[in-house]
Amino acid sequence: MKITDAKVIICSPGRNFVTLKIYTDQGIYGLGDATLNGMEKSVATYLTDYCIPALIGKDPRNIEDIWHYFYRGVYWRRGAVSMCAVSAIDMALWDIKAKTLNTPLYNLLGGRSRDKILVYAHSNGANIDETIENVGKKIDEGYKAVRVQCGIPGLSDAYGVAKEKKSYEPAHKGLPPEEKWDTSLYLNFIPGVFEKIREVYGSDVHLLHDVHHRCTPVEAARLAKELEPFHLFWIEDPVACELQESLRLIRQHSTTPIAIGEVFNTVYDYTLLFTEQLIDYIRMPLSHGGGITHLQKVAAFASFYHIATGFHGATDLSPITLAAALHFNTAINNFGIQEYMPHQKIVNEVFKINYKFENGFMYIDDSPGIGVDIDETAAARFPYVTARLPVNRKSDGTMFNW
Ligand code: EZ4
Ligand code: CO
């Protein structure tokens, strides 16, 4: 079997997606998601100009070797752009292999470990009352787990809060918008939000919260400790985690579970976090963390330390990543939870999907491969639109983490 050609499809049905399509001499093709929010064209160029010419002629069945060709074989390895490209290649190759064997992807990853995939919804509000009302809506829709973000009094911007009651999408046209941030206002306010939510909805619903890299270790420790009585499923990205050691401080002070890694892209971002059991959930998604081949190894490594998966699943990951994640989550033992932010309906004009949400869980059907297809004629109707993620400054103007 040989790879005969490959191409990158960029489209923007409501938001940008980059898709890699790999063709073979057996008429079977595979799809991989190469979307990197706000940096789409860098990955597309890397794939088109550097990776695709080297892919042509290779045997697509040799996934492990091809993975190492584009990881180990590349002198300037790692980093978000190149790992996103490696991930897309890897996903497309697994798609080809499973289609060739006429079986759903999860069968090749160990078969079924569970019938359904627990997911968490996003909920947010400009103020506490709106937030409480919106959490209730998600519970009514059947969700068993809800991520809660809330506007902070005195702050014009808070991470994860939709503007003008639209659905939350952080990327905006033109130059990056500048947001304003104040950690002490945030820290003083957020524990009260969760206290109120527990009062209103009781203790059964799983509650999650994304700190989005905005605390120092000692601030994060305070937050995790003050949230402890409200039994969160997790707090996410409590600190900007280039320094893995900083998690020790949070861990020493609190039993609030911690999820980290949506901006990570290899196992080397996780080694200390795993071996010292400093976190509870892996966020690194298949589309940024080296695809199925690398995440299988990362998840296996994590499993020995009682750490589970909780993959990133924002709308900036395409339906291909979500479907691949559902296969992966179906197969592995140490699955924890999957983030689920439904794509706008218009996305389904381009991507034909094979999963559904029902009563708090997601289900993937048994179509061969990853099971998502792309309609290229429809994709051509939605040309790429430049959109950038925001930057963030403290209220005195100091550059900060977004
Ligand atoms: O800000 O995917 O947990 N989810 C998140 C996301 C990220 C976006 C960035 O593109 O933190 O909403
Ligand atoms: Co996040």
Side-chain angles (χ1 to χ4, degrees), residues 41-55:
K41 286 197 169 176
S42 336
V43 184
T45 302
Y46 180 52
L47 279 168
T48 307
D49 291 0
Y50 302 97
C51 302
I52 289 175
L55 262 177

PDB file of all heavy atoms in Angstrom, residues 41-55:
ATOM      1  N   LYS A  41      -2.640  28.890   9.395  1.00  0.00           N
ATOM      2  CA  LYS A  41      -1.854  28.825   8.157  1.00  0.00           C
ATOM      3  C   LYS A  41      -0.428  28.344   8.391  1.00  0.00           C
ATOM      4  O   LYS A  41       0.203  27.820   7.475  1.00  0.00           O
ATOM      5  CB  LYS A  41      -1.864  30.189   7.457  1.00  0.00           C
ATOM      6  CG  LYS A  41      -3.205  30.459   6.791  1.00  0.00           C
ATOM      7  CD  LYS A  41      -3.086  31.573   5.780  1.00  0.00           C
ATOM      8  CE  LYS A  41      -4.340  31.650   4.941  1.00  0.00           C
ATOM      9  NZ  LYS A  41      -4.296  32.795   4.015  1.00  0.00           N
ATOM     10  N   SER A  42       0.093  28.519   9.603  1.00  0.00           N
ATOM     11  CA  SER A  42       1.453  28.020   9.876  1.00  0.00           C
ATOM     12  C   SER A  42       1.482  26.501   9.764  1.00  0.00           C
ATOM     13  O   SER A  42       2.412  25.931   9.192  1.00  0.00           O
ATOM     14  CB  SER A  42       1.927  28.397  11.288  1.00  0.00           C
ATOM     15  OG  SER A  42       1.260  29.498  11.768  1.00  0.00           O
ATOM     16  N   VAL A  43       0.470  25.847  10.309  1.00  0.00           N
ATOM     17  CA  VAL A  43       0.425  24.383  10.242  1.00  0.00           C
ATOM     18  C   VAL A  43       0.168  23.944   8.798  1.00  0.00           C
ATOM     19  O   VAL A  43       0.807  23.009   8.299  1.00  0.00           O
ATOM     20  CB  VAL A  43      -0.670  23.811  11.175  1.00  0.00           C
ATOM     21  CG1 VAL A  43      -0.629  22.288  11.156  1.00  0.00           C
ATOM     22  CG2 VAL A  43      -0.503  24.330  12.594  1.00  0.00           C
ATOM     23  N   ALA A  44      -0.742  24.657   8.119  1.00  0.00           N
ATOM     24  CA  ALA A  44      -1.066  24.300   6.730  1.00  0.00           C
ATOM     25  C   ALA A  44       0.190  24.383   5.853  1.00  0.00           C
ATOM     26  O   ALA A  44       0.467  23.489   5.052  1.00  0.00           O
ATOM     27  CB  ALA A  44      -2.159  25.219   6.203  1.00  0.00           C
ATOM     28  N   THR A  45       0.986  25.450   6.040  1.00  0.00           N
ATOM     29  CA  THR A  45       2.204  25.620   5.240  1.00  0.00           C
ATOM     30  C   THR A  45       3.222  24.531   5.567  1.00  0.00           C
ATOM     31  O   THR A  45       3.846  23.960   4.673  1.00  0.00           O
ATOM     32  CB  THR A  45       2.832  27.003   5.517  1.00  0.00           C
ATOM     33  OG1 THR A  45       1.855  27.983   5.217  1.00  0.00           O
ATOM     34  CG2 THR A  45       4.070  27.251   4.679  1.00  0.00           C
ATOM     35  N   TYR A  46       3.390  24.248   6.858  1.00  0.00           N
ATOM     36  CA  TYR A  46       4.347  23.204   7.247  1.00  0.00           C
ATOM     37  C   TYR A  46       3.960  21.867   6.606  1.00  0.00           C
ATOM     38  O   TYR A  46       4.810  21.164   6.049  1.00  0.00           O
ATOM     39  CB  TYR A  46       4.417  23.107   8.780  1.00  0.00           C
ATOM     40  CG  TYR A  46       5.370  22.048   9.270  1.00  0.00           C
ATOM     41  CD1 TYR A  46       6.688  22.006   8.812  1.00  0.00           C
ATOM     42  CD2 TYR A  46       4.961  21.065  10.173  1.00  0.00           C
ATOM     43  CE1 TYR A  46       7.568  21.013   9.234  1.00  0.00           C
ATOM     44  CE2 TYR A  46       5.834  20.082  10.613  1.00  0.00           C
ATOM     45  CZ  TYR A  46       7.135  20.056  10.133  1.00  0.00           C
ATOM     46  OH  TYR A  46       7.995  19.077  10.540  1.00  0.00           O
ATOM     47  N   LEU A  47       2.668  21.558   6.657  1.00  0.00           N
ATOM     48  CA  LEU A  47       2.204  20.300   6.059  1.00  0.00           C
ATOM     49  C   LEU A  47       2.426  20.312   4.539  1.00  0.00           C
ATOM     50  O   LEU A  47       3.031  19.385   3.985  1.00  0.00           O
ATOM     51  CB  LEU A  47       0.715  20.089   6.351  1.00  0.00           C
ATOM     52  CG  LEU A  47       0.376  19.518   7.728  1.00  0.00           C
ATOM     53  CD1 LEU A  47      -1.124  19.641   8.018  1.00  0.00           C
ATOM     54  CD2 LEU A  47       0.814  18.051   7.848  1.00  0.00           C
ATOM     55  N   THR A  48       1.954  21.355   3.876  1.00  0.00           N
ATOM     56  CA  THR A  48       1.982  21.387   2.406  1.00  0.00           C
ATOM     57  C   THR A  48       3.407  21.445   1.866  1.00  0.00           C
ATOM     58  O   THR A  48       3.771  20.704   0.953  1.00  0.00           O
ATOM     59  CB  THR A  48       1.188  22.611   1.898  1.00  0.00           C
ATOM     60  OG1 THR A  48      -0.101  22.562   2.495  1.00  0.00           O
ATOM     61  CG2 THR A  48       1.043  22.601   0.394  1.00  0.00           C
ATOM     62  N   ASP A  49       4.224  22.334   2.438  1.00  0.00           N
ATOM     63  CA  ASP A  49       5.551  22.557   1.853  1.00  0.00           C
ATOM     64  C   ASP A  49       6.599  21.551   2.333  1.00  0.00           C
ATOM     65  O   ASP A  49       7.557  21.278   1.618  1.00  0.00           O
ATOM     66  CB  ASP A  49       6.048  23.979   2.178  1.00  0.00           C
ATOM     67  CG  ASP A  49       5.229  25.037   1.451  1.00  0.00           C
ATOM     68  OD1 ASP A  49       4.299  24.650   0.707  1.00  0.00           O
ATOM     69  OD2 ASP A  49       5.489  26.239   1.637  1.00  0.00           O
ATOM     70  N   TYR A  50       6.449  21.034   3.539  1.00  0.00           N
ATOM     71  CA  TYR A  50       7.520  20.211   4.117  1.00  0.00           C
ATOM     72  C   TYR A  50       7.127  18.748   4.360  1.00  0.00           C
ATOM     73  O   TYR A  50       7.940  17.864   4.166  1.00  0.00           O
ATOM     74  CB  TYR A  50       8.014  20.843   5.417  1.00  0.00           C
ATOM     75  CG  TYR A  50       8.522  22.244   5.194  1.00  0.00           C
ATOM     76  CD1 TYR A  50       7.716  23.356   5.432  1.00  0.00           C
ATOM     77  CD2 TYR A  50       9.813  22.466   4.682  1.00  0.00           C
ATOM     78  CE1 TYR A  50       8.177  24.645   5.195  1.00  0.00           C
ATOM     79  CE2 TYR A  50      10.275  23.755   4.440  1.00  0.00           C
ATOM     80  CZ  TYR A  50       9.455  24.838   4.695  1.00  0.00           C
ATOM     81  OH  TYR A  50       9.913  26.095   4.450  1.00  0.00           O
ATOM     82  N   CYS A  51       5.903  18.504   4.825  1.00  0.00           N
ATOM     83  CA  CYS A  51       5.547  17.118   5.208  1.00  0.00           C
ATOM     84  C   CYS A  51       4.996  16.312   4.036  1.00  0.00           C
ATOM     85  O   CYS A  51       5.424  15.172   3.814  1.00  0.00           O
ATOM     86  CB  CYS A  51       4.522  17.116   6.344  1.00  0.00           C
ATOM     87  SG  CYS A  51       5.090  17.979   7.812  1.00  0.00           S
ATOM     88  N   ILE A  52       4.053  16.885   3.291  1.00  0.00           N
ATOM     89  CA  ILE A  52       3.379  16.108   2.244  1.00  0.00           C
ATOM     90  C   ILE A  52       4.367  15.553   1.204  1.00  0.00           C
ATOM     91  O   ILE A  52       4.301  14.365   0.866  1.00  0.00           O
ATOM     92  CB  ILE A  52       2.230  16.924   1.600  1.00  0.00           C
ATOM     93  CG1 ILE A  52       1.093  17.055   2.622  1.00  0.00           C
ATOM     94  CG2 ILE A  52       1.730  16.272   0.304  1.00  0.00           C
ATOM     95  CD1 ILE A  52      -0.066  17.936   2.196  1.00  0.00           C
ATOM     96  N   PRO A  53       5.339  16.367   0.724  1.00  0.00           N
ATOM     97  CA  PRO A  53       6.268  15.791  -0.259  1.00  0.00           C
ATOM     98  C   PRO A  53       7.002  14.553   0.284  1.00  0.00           C
ATOM     99  O   PRO A  53       7.298  13.629  -0.478  1.00  0.00           O
ATOM    100  CB  PRO A  53       7.248  16.943  -0.539  1.00  0.00           C
ATOM    101  CG  PRO A  53       6.475  18.177  -0.196  1.00  0.00           C
ATOM    102  CD  PRO A  53       5.585  17.799   0.951  1.00  0.00           C
ATOM    103  N   ALA A  54       7.279  14.535   1.596  1.00  0.00           N
ATOM    104  CA  ALA A  54       7.979  13.387   2.185  1.00  0.00           C
ATOM    105  C   ALA A  54       7.037  12.221   2.474  1.00  0.00           C
ATOM    106  O   ALA A  54       7.480  11.085   2.660  1.00  0.00           O
ATOM    107  CB  ALA A  54       8.692  13.819   3.467  1.00  0.00           C
ATOM    108  N   LEU A  55       5.736  12.485   2.527  1.00  0.00           N
ATOM    109  CA  LEU A  55       4.764  11.416   2.802  1.00  0.00           C
ATOM    110  C   LEU A  55       4.503  10.562   1.567  1.00  0.00           C
ATOM    111  O   LEU A  55       4.288   9.349   1.673  1.00  0.00           O
ATOM    112  CB  LEU A  55       3.423  12.042   3.200  1.00  0.00           C
ATOM    113  CG  LEU A  55       3.042  12.188   4.647  1.00  0.00           C
ATOM    114  CD1 LEU A  55       1.702  12.915   4.742  1.00  0.00           C
ATOM    115  CD2 LEU A  55       2.975  10.855   5.362  1.00  0.00           C
TER     116      LEU A  55
END
